[in-house]
Amino acid sequence: MRRWASFLSSSLLVLALCLGGCTGNSSYAPAAIQSPEPAGSAQASAPPGKPLSASGAPQLLRMNMEEPATLDPTFAEDTVSGAVIRAIFDGLTRLDEAGSPIHSIATDMKVSDDKTTYTFTLRDAKWSNGDPVTAHDFEFAWKHALDPKTGSQAAYQFYSLKNAQAFTAGKAGRDDVGVKALDDKTLQVTLEHPMPFFPTLASFLMPINKKVAESNPDWAKDPKTLVGNGPFKLDTWEHKNKLVLVKNDTYWERDVVKLERIEFSMISDANTELAMFENGDLDWAGGPISSLPVDAVAPLHQDGKLVTKPKATSYYIRFNAERPPFTHAKIRKAFAYAINRQEIADNIGQAGQTPLMGITPATATLKPEGFFKDDQPDEARKLLREGMKELGISKLPPISYLYNTNDRNKAIAEALQAAWKKQLGVDVKLVNKETKVYLDDQEQGNFDITRSSWTADYNDPVNFLQKFIEKYSSSNITRWHNPAYTDLIKRSYRETDEQKRKQILLEAETLLMEEMPLTGIFSDVNAWVQSEKVKGVRIDPLSKIDFKWAYKE
């Protein structure tokens, strides 16, 4: 019997106990943005005239996920938080099924001749508490995220704005940042440099209710005070237990929203999640906001039940370049070269993942063949010996690997641990923590080696490479810095010739792989199973999930 199936009885017991106790290469031209059809039109995924609920078939979607780290867009950077935030907030644009931006809160967008200034006109929309959504809410939210006093780990998401990074670094004032409400319905955005994919990025840069946030710093922690402007609103948040969203009747396109309720359980065990799905207690199991048991992927694929979709995601590991022995590039490379990525992709991923010998994934790769050969144990041992000699040490200090709890992450951690023991003779301690604590430890530099992944905000190599230009930033937790690398990335911003720009970025990734503050594991895919009754859930090429158009048959 398959291992995941053997967990069925115990999993259902866990479920019963739980229920008994329950009370994070687009080149879209601006002209490509399309306005959504009027509410209730054929654009809605649900058939025209379909009732919101029917006897025996309520419009309820049941899914499982980890505990979100936050529901405040100011701080969100993990996949789970992003998925819930996308349901309860709405940006200037939203993405269609192809990943192309369409108008949402913005009804119109004008772009300056030099492609650096965008002027958005906002529609009449309301917050869930009845307040009007204004351009001032967008300006406040974006500057609040960038304000060094806020201390947002996700501030880098706004660095495309003029003077944004300078403001965060204390080198520019709040009024210097390139976002300004000209009036209640007009938002002007000025960029550091032309960015043809900004309309896509704008779909992730959410507003927050200025009045609410200023009056209560903890507004996003409680359903009673959390105010959103999206298709759903937060009804219940029982930490480590469940989270419930309900349809937002103040949403500007509420007639398109067919689901009345989305219930998220928070079961950390993937076997239990799959057992709940098989028993009819969940409508969905697996990606993109959860995962399937590693040994269930192949059987589900063979049975024709598995759904897979490539995504612009790199799964990789980062070294702490300020912690010995990873202060030395040769030792970082030794640990990188000792890994057999093909085995991990085939035996743990099992859904079409491809080995990643770089940082940019298959969807945005600059060098498809990779920057080094996979699985080089002899070279790894040689580099380890040389690095230790140059550091003047005969024995490595204790080394640990930090990851967030999840069935697949655990299996990959154990595979890495085994490879480093077999090929290098090094014992690595595995440390697993819940996502919020794991992210905090990464931010504080409390790790030797740590698991990471990055899903593109826009499918372009620079979205992966620009994360490592500053030594001390929430996007670059390796503490590695090279001025030449930073210069290459900044040159790419100014280069208008696409081929020359790609060559500059290739030079940058080559340098990154020579110094190896991080190393890729695989270019990822989404894999999940879903009920045949679930329709209209959108998972775009960037792996963002959107429930706005979802419904149950």
Side-chain angles (χ1 to χ4, degrees), residues 317 335 338-340 344 348 399-403 409-432 449 521:
I317 63 174
F335 275 71
I339 300 168
N340 188 321
I344 292 175
I348 299 177
I399 294 171
S400 63
Y401 176 88
L402 172 68
Y403 67 98
N409 291 344
K410 181 175 184 290
I412 292 172
E414 291 171 347
L416 294 172
Q417 182 187 49
W420 291 326
K421 178 63 175 177
K422 176 182 178 182
Q423 307 300 359
L424 302 178
V426 179
D427 291 307
V428 175
K429 179 184 178 181
L430 303 184
V431 179
N432 69 298
I449 316 173
I521 302 298

Side-chain angles (χ1 to χ4, degrees), residues 184-344:
D184 284 353
K185 296 295 182 184
T186 311
L187 185 73
Q188 186 179 81
V189 179
T190 305
L191 307 180
E192 282 280 3
H193 52 82
M195 183 182 283
F197 34 75
F198 181 73
T200 298
L201 180 60
S203 68
F204 310 121
L205 305 183
M206 301 300 184
I208 58 178
N209 187 304
K210 182 175 183 289
K211 183 174 67 176
V212 169
E214 287 182 328
S215 64
N216 178 12
D218 295 326
W219 64 274
K221 297 180 179 180
D222 190 324
K224 296 177 181 178
T225 56
L226 193 151
V227 175
N229 70 323
F232 300 93
K233 61 183 180 180
L234 182 64
D235 178 79
T236 303
W237 190 0
E238 297 177 3
H239 295 285
K240 302 183 184 301
N241 188 0
K242 69 177 180 179
L243 185 148
V244 179
L245 305 180
V246 295
K247 181 176 178 177
N248 179 12
D249 289 332
T250 68
Y251 184 54
W252 70 271
E253 204 175 20
R254 58 187 173 276
D255 290 344
V256 166
V257 182
K258 303 303 177 186
L259 288 177
E260 296 175 319
R261 189 177 177 93
I262 307 175
E263 295 182 355
F264 296 99
S265 57
M266 296 180 188
I267 305 298
S268 61
D269 182 71
N271 291 284
T272 305
E273 177 179 345
L274 184 57
M276 291 169 66
F277 172 80
E278 296 284 354
N279 195 50
D281 296 308
L282 289 176
D283 301 305
W284 190 292
I289 58 172
S290 190
S291 64
L292 293 167
V294 169
D295 61 354
V297 174
L300 288 170
H301 180 70
Q302 292 169 5
D303 292 344
K305 297 178 180 179
L306 190 71
V307 183
T308 62
K309 189 172 184 177
K311 60 179 180 176
T313 300
S314 295
Y315 192 111
Y316 60 104
I317 63 174
R318 295 194 250 195
F319 302 104
N320 189 333
E322 285 191 336
R323 275 198 183 184
F326 300 112
T327 51
H328 202 297
K330 285 186 177 179
I331 293 182
R332 298 194 296 262
K333 292 172 84 169
F335 275 71
Y337 291 177
I339 300 168
N340 188 321
R341 294 160 183 79
Q342 190 66 61
E343 282 189 359
I344 292 175

Side-chain angles (χ1 to χ4, degrees), residues 82-98:
V84 179
I85 285 169
R86 196 164 301 108
I88 59 181
F89 289 89
D90 205 6
L92 297 166
T93 62
R94 213 167 177 99
L95 302 186
D96 65 13
E97 288 177 291

Side-chain angles (χ1 to χ4, degrees), residues 37-48 253 255-258 538 549 551:
E37 297 294 327
S41 73
Q43 184 190 349
S45 296
E253 204 175 20
D255 290 344
V256 166
V257 182
K258 303 303 177 186
R538 291 187 176 179
W549 293 276
Y551 65 97

Side-chain angles (χ1 to χ4, degrees), residues 77-118:
E77 56 178 346
D78 64 289
T79 299
V80 174
S81 296
V84 179
I85 285 169
R86 196 164 301 108
I88 59 181
F89 289 89
D90 205 6
L92 297 166
T93 62
R94 213 167 177 99
L95 302 186
D96 65 13
E97 288 177 291
S100 300
I102 58 175
H103 287 130
S104 202
I105 295 299
T107 60
D108 183 59
M109 180 188 74
K110 291 181 172 59
V111 189
S112 64
D113 291 341
D114 66 359
K115 310 299 182 186
T116 62
T117 301
Y118 290 72

Side-chain angles (χ1 to χ4, degrees), residues 485-510:
Y485 180 84
T486 299
D487 181 63
L488 285 167
I489 300 301
K490 290 184 176 179
R491 279 174 55 198
S492 77
Y493 292 155
R494 300 187 296 268
E495 182 56 65
T496 56
D497 182 286
E498 186 58 25
Q499 288 306 311
K500 291 180 180 178
R501 176 177 173 274
K502 284 185 177 181
Q503 183 58 41
I504 293 170
L505 292 174
L506 178 59
E507 289 180 38
E509 190 168 4
T510 301

